[in-house]
């Protein structure tokens, strides 16, 4: 079975197989998803990693990408962890706000964590804009959601939650 899933077709997984969805900025960010995915599957043999970074940039179909992400975010919430890594911006794209989708998803899953108890882990790279606000709001509403200063500690915590 393929252990790192990237946007393409949705694959049905056994219900007892945990999924870690790695959420965070793609456009304007350095490529961090491959390292996180490799680390996670090497550390735990019984999990699947869903990484939304589409390596085939020329053939991205917007609706299919969004549907794929929605499916695996929900799947990780049911059995697994949603790991947000908020990498700082390295390339500014004037036509879009940096991390606009990640910020929306973070707010969405914050509420779902409060309501349903979805497992969330957050890593915030120093230099990510609005870090202070995100830390403050999570400390007020979701003090049980761990927030780390680096990707590796966030990955390690996500692994602890699925094992």
């Amino acid at each position: 079975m393929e252990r790192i899933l990237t946007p393409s077709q949705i694959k049905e997984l056994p219900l007892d197989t945990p999924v870690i969805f790695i959420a965070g900025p793609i456009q304007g960010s350095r490529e961090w998803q491959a390292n996180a995915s490799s680390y996670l599957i090497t550390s735990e043999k019984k999990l699947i990693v869903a990484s939304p970074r589409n390596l085939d940039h020329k053939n991205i179909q917007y609706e299919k990408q969004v549907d794929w992400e929605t499916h695996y975010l929900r799947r990780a919430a049911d059995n697994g962890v949603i790991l947000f890594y908020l990498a700082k911006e390295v390339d500014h794209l004037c036509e879009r706000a940096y991390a606009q989708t990640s910020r929306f998803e973070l707010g969405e899953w914050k509420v779902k964590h409060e309501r349903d108890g979805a497992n969330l882990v957050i890593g915030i790279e120093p230099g990510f804009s609005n870090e202070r606000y995100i830390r403050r709001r999570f400390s007020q509403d979701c003090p049980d959601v761990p927030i780390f200063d680096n990707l590796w500690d966030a990955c390690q915590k996500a692994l602890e939650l699925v094992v």
Side-chain angles (χ1 to χ4, degrees):
M1 176 186 330
E2 195 175 348
R3 304 223 11 252
I4 299 174
L5 304 178
T6 56
S8 61
Q9 68 184 103
I10 294 172
K11 296 176 172 63
E12 289 307 316
L13 303 171
L15 294 177
D16 63 342
T17 302
V19 173
I20 296 179
F21 187 99
I22 54 173
I26 294 173
Q27 295 179 29
S29 167
R30 67 181 167 80
E31 203 288 324
W32 56 270
Q33 292 86 352
N35 289 337
S37 297
S38 294
Y39 176 79
L40 291 166
I41 65 162
T42 301
S43 300
E44 175 54 46
K45 304 294 183 210
K46 295 180 181 173
L47 76 89
I48 299 293
V49 173
S51 174
R53 185 177 281 271
N54 192 331
L55 301 177
D56 187 7
H57 301 292
K58 294 176 184 163
N59 291 317
I60 294 176
Q61 295 178 348
Y62 179 78
E63 290 82 11
K64 285 187 175 186
Q65 173 95 19
V66 172
D67 294 350
W68 183 94
E69 290 182 20
T70 301
H71 175 83
Y72 285 109
L73 279 162
R74 290 175 179 165
R75 179 62 174 72
D78 288 341
N79 181 12
V81 176
I82 301 169
L83 187 163
F84 280 93
Y85 184 64
L86 305 176
K88 68 182 179 183
E89 182 177 31
V90 293
D91 292 316
H92 183 69
L93 305 172
C94 293
E95 66 276 5
R96 73 183 268 128
Y98 180 66
Q100 67 186 29
T101 303
S102 299
R103 293 171 195 269
F104 179 90
E105 289 171 340
L106 183 63
E108 175 187 18
W109 286 99
K110 175 186 171 289
V111 171
K112 290 180 180 183
H113 168 80
E114 292 172 294
R115 186 189 68 199
D116 305 328
N119 282 330
L120 301 181
V121 173
I122 302 171
I124 305 176
E125 183 176 20
F128 181 82
S129 60
N130 216 18
E131 172 185 0
R132 186 172 69 164
Y133 179 80
I134 293 166
R135 286 182 181 275
R136 180 66 181 155
R137 293 297 291 124
F138 271 85
S139 73
Q140 291 172 325
D141 298 341
C142 308
D144 58 327
V145 172
I147 301 176
F148 298 94
D149 296 325
N150 64 73
L151 178 59
W152 308 118
D153 289 343
C155 284
Q156 190 58 46
K157 185 60 177 183
L159 287 168
E160 289 173 19
L161 292 173
V162 297
V163 173

